[in-house]
Amino acid sequence: MFGVNVSPFLFSATIKHHIEKYREQYPTATEMLDTCLYVDDIISGVDDISNALKISKDAEKNASIMKNASMKLRKWNSNDQTLMKTWEYEGLEALPRHSENNSRVQSSKVLGIPWNVIHDYFTIDVKGLLELDTSKPVTKRIVLQSAGKIYDPVGFLSPYTIKLKCILQELWLRKLAWDDELPPDIYATGLQWWSELPLSSELDSTNDPRFQCRRFK
């Protein structure tokens, strides 16, 4: 069924059908499978190792929720090495065990965003935006291209990137063509935005309970 237009719906419907069989018996595991599945990846987290182990075992081994749907949960990953070792001991297929001294396996990806599993932070690459050539006219087309270069599906940088979107909105209101040079006032605002770009590497959200990232680069 891969490649058919209805494949994503059938995949989701199949999982939800099997989840309903176990919802009363394994409420936490089924809730995770129902709400934290993105395409074919499950992205979730809990407050302690014991809960993480229980949920993962209920989903994969004890209740065999996914096995009964002829699916297997693989590549378990965590920033906690104790949990990683426990998964291996319990027979769950975890990613290669990461080590403080082994930089080759310390990086993973969450929704396409690099995640350092050793030090537990996400990395957002903004290097491409630093290549603005101010010797050439800056146009609406360049502003839109710059906005498209930032891959931030979770919205970590939204307080910063919203400025660029506001500039684009103003350009549309003034009915500028794609290759018209920016008016002086908007150009000054845009130039300030680009000048502040290197400061994104200093953002720190360790005190924000919504995130488990320490730094963006």
Side-chain angles (χ1 to χ4, degrees), residues 143-199:
V143 175
L144 180 62
Q145 288 173 346
S146 299
K149 287 181 179 179
I150 302 177
Y151 180 70
D152 182 25
V154 183
F156 289 140
L157 294 182
S158 291
Y160 178 69
T161 56
I162 189 64
K163 277 188 175 182
L164 202 59
K165 295 177 181 179
C166 288
I167 291 176
L168 273 172
Q169 183 183 48
E170 182 62 26
L171 293 176
W172 279 106
L173 291 174
R174 298 193 189 187
K175 299 181 179 180
L176 265 73
W178 284 110
D179 295 312
D180 286 348
E181 190 170 355
L182 300 187
D185 58 329
I186 297 182
Y187 177 76
T189 303
L191 205 59
Q192 180 183 2
W193 185 88
W194 266 288
S195 69
E196 294 172 351
L197 190 61
L199 299 177

Side-chain angles (χ1 to χ4, degrees), residues 76-174:
W76 291 91
N77 200 4
S78 171
N79 62 308
D80 191 288
Q81 291 198 61
T82 302
L83 179 58
M84 293 288 288
K85 294 176 182 178
T86 306
W87 275 336
E88 291 181 3
Y89 178 79
E90 294 289 342
L92 295 175
E93 187 176 337
L95 284 176
R97 185 182 306 168
H98 47 258
S99 167
E100 292 284 352
N101 301 320
N102 188 349
S103 61
R104 292 176 301 174
V105 291
Q106 70 174 7
S107 182
S108 185
K109 282 192 175 182
V110 178
L111 294 178
I113 302 177
W115 171 39
N116 187 304
V117 294
I118 296 294
H119 303 291
D120 198 18
Y121 64 76
F122 293 114
T123 302
I124 296 179
D125 185 12
V126 295
K127 291 179 182 178
L129 290 172
L130 296 173
E131 301 170 356
L132 177 68
D133 186 357
T134 54
S135 66
K136 298 179 180 179
V138 179
T139 64
K140 184 169 74 171
R141 188 185 305 275
I142 291 177
V143 175
L144 180 62
Q145 288 173 346
S146 299
K149 287 181 179 179
I150 302 177
Y151 180 70
D152 182 25
V154 183
F156 289 140
L157 294 182
S158 291
Y160 178 69
T161 56
I162 189 64
K163 277 188 175 182
L164 202 59
K165 295 177 181 179
C166 288
I167 291 176
L168 273 172
Q169 183 183 48
E170 182 62 26
L171 293 176
W172 279 106
L173 291 174
R174 298 193 189 187

